[in-house]
Amino acid sequence: MSYGREREPTDDSSAPPSSPSPTSPTIPAVPAPRVAIGPTSDQYAVDAVTSAGGQLVEVGAPADAIVWLSAQDVPGLRATLDATPEVRWVQLPYAGVEVFARTGMLSDGRTWTCAKGSYAEPVAEHALALALAGLRHLPERLAATTWGPPKGTSLYDADVTILGGGGITEMLLTQLAPFRVRATVVSRNPEPVAGAVRTVTTDALHEVLPGALVVFLALALTAETTGIIGAAELDLMDERAWLVNVARGPHIVTPALVEALQRGTIAGAALDVTDPEPLPEGHVLWSLPNAIITPHTADTPEMTAPHLAKRIATNVARFAKGEKLQGLVDPVAGY
């Protein structure tokens, strides 16, 4: 089972500021809450619930909360909630929740939480690895059968731009710190982000693309961020720049990216997510020497299960005490 990301991944996005988020429903303390795990139950989730004092119940039985471990079985969750109207809190497994947001169920009056921020370490690590692989021409060298000329670009003391202001960005900035980069964060929230030299809102995106050696995408997918990188944005990037996407494929307009890579408008793109996804066999991106594709593996199940277990245990314990939960989903913002 794969748990995706905030791609979101996140407590923030580069969407324009929206109206103030509605207040999360107040949850009174529920000692030993009844928690159902569905649509199937993994042992790490069972252990997380019980270690935090929750009582396991079958899916469909009266429950106070549901831990849903699938983003594919959205109809199953809808049916379960219809059968258990008393449920007050739902924990989702991904950081990104767009598949649930599209159904409108996030606005049903319940408290919804997701895994945003939980998978920041492995996703940021993968983003950094992709950037270094591109800058150091590793795909070319892996395919080479001759010595070849020396070439490569150092990340040290470079300008980088990161779209998204959530957990992945915060971790990525920590991992980038030894490289002494000058990082600009593009976020819907203009508040400063630790480790960045400045934070700007989306309306300034075109101002912070030129000059960046690497442009990272680590933002939530919303209507406003779909296609946020298109032909105009790619034209603004430097010819030596790499575009790294560890968020969601639809952030990038794929035909525009293909054209930019073929023309050499940018140096390359390293993508852990694509549009369409999975990227079909024979797609032109597979054949481009300046495109690196990894199959949505910035956070594998083995990496994410311990992090999700921690989020579940923390939230069950907080739910039992009536405390604010982690990873709250804003139904207005859609993440």
Side-chain angles (χ1 to χ4, degrees):
M1 185 179 296
S2 176
Y3 298 107
R5 33 210 185 264
E6 42 194 299
R7 305 132 62 59
E8 25 298 48
T10 59
D11 297 309
D12 195 5
S13 83
S14 293
S18 60
S19 57
S21 301
T23 302
S24 177
T26 300
I27 303 179
V30 186
R34 300 165 298 174
V35 182
I37 302 174
T40 58
S41 181
D42 288 343
Q43 190 60 45
Y44 73 86
V46 171
D47 293 343
V49 170
T50 56
S51 68
Q55 300 181 67
L56 286 174
V57 297
E58 296 294 325
V59 172
D64 301 300
I66 292 177
V67 173
W68 200 253
L69 298 180
S70 171
Q72 285 71 47
D73 191 5
V74 178
L77 177 56
R78 177 76 277 169
T80 299
L81 292 174
D82 289 342
T84 53
E86 72 282 356
V87 167
R88 286 179 285 170
W89 161 49
V90 182
Q91 171 71 53
L92 299 175
Y94 283 35
V97 297
E98 61 271 9
V99 293
F100 299 97
R102 285 195 290 265
T103 70
M105 69 172 68
L106 300 182
S107 300
D108 65 2
R110 295 180 172 91
T111 294
W112 292 74
T113 58
C114 67
K116 58 184 175 182
S118 293
Y119 311 146
E121 289 181 350
V123 176
E125 177 187 33
H126 196 73
L128 179 56
L130 289 175
L132 292 173
L135 293 172
R136 292 295 183 157
H137 299 270
L138 294 190
E140 177 184 344
R141 298 318 308 160
L142 288 170
T145 57
T146 59
W147 191 249
K151 55 183 176 180
T153 305
S154 175
L155 183 59
Y156 276 95
D157 301 307
D159 291 309
V160 302
T161 294
I162 307 174
L163 278 66
I168 294 173
T169 293
E170 292 175 359
M171 182 54 59
L172 180 57
L173 286 167
T174 298
Q175 295 176 2
L176 286 169
F179 293 92
R180 302 186 299 269
V181 300
R182 295 176 296 276
T184 296
V185 170
V186 182
S187 169
R188 65 189 294 267
N189 184 347
E191 293 299 315
V193 177
V197 296
R198 59 175 170 165
T199 302
V200 302
T201 53
T202 308
D203 55 6
L205 174 61
H206 285 192
E207 300 172 19
V208 299
L209 292 175
L213 180 62
V214 183
V215 175
F216 294 96
L217 304 187
L219 66 166
L221 183 64
T222 66
E224 292 82 3
T225 65
T226 298
I228 195 169
I229 299 294
E233 290 73 28
L234 291 163
D235 284 342
L236 287 170
M237 292 174 58
D238 288 9
E239 290 184 359
R240 63 180 189 140
W242 274 79
L243 178 65
V244 176
N245 189 4
V246 292
R248 288 288 187 262
H251 289 311
I252 299 174
V253 180
T254 300
L257 176 63
V258 169
E259 182 177 358
L261 293 173
Q262 291 174 329
R263 289 171 46 203
T265 303
I266 62 174
L271 313 172
D272 188 51
V273 290
T274 58
D275 184 23
E277 186 173 314
L279 192 65
E281 291 185 22
H283 193 283
V284 63
L285 280 173
W286 288 118
S287 63
L288 295 179
N290 53 348
I292 302 172
I293 311 293
T294 56
H296 208 139
T297 52
D299 49 359
T300 66
E302 294 77 14
M303 296 178 195
T304 57
H307 294 289
L308 182 57
K310 182 178 179 180
R311 173 60 55 87
I312 293 170
T314 297
N315 276 346
V316 170
R318 291 188 175 202
F319 183 73
K321 298 175 182 177
E323 297 176 350
K324 182 179 179 180
L325 304 182
Q326 291 184 343
L328 286 167
V329 174
D330 181 342
V332 175
Y335 60 90

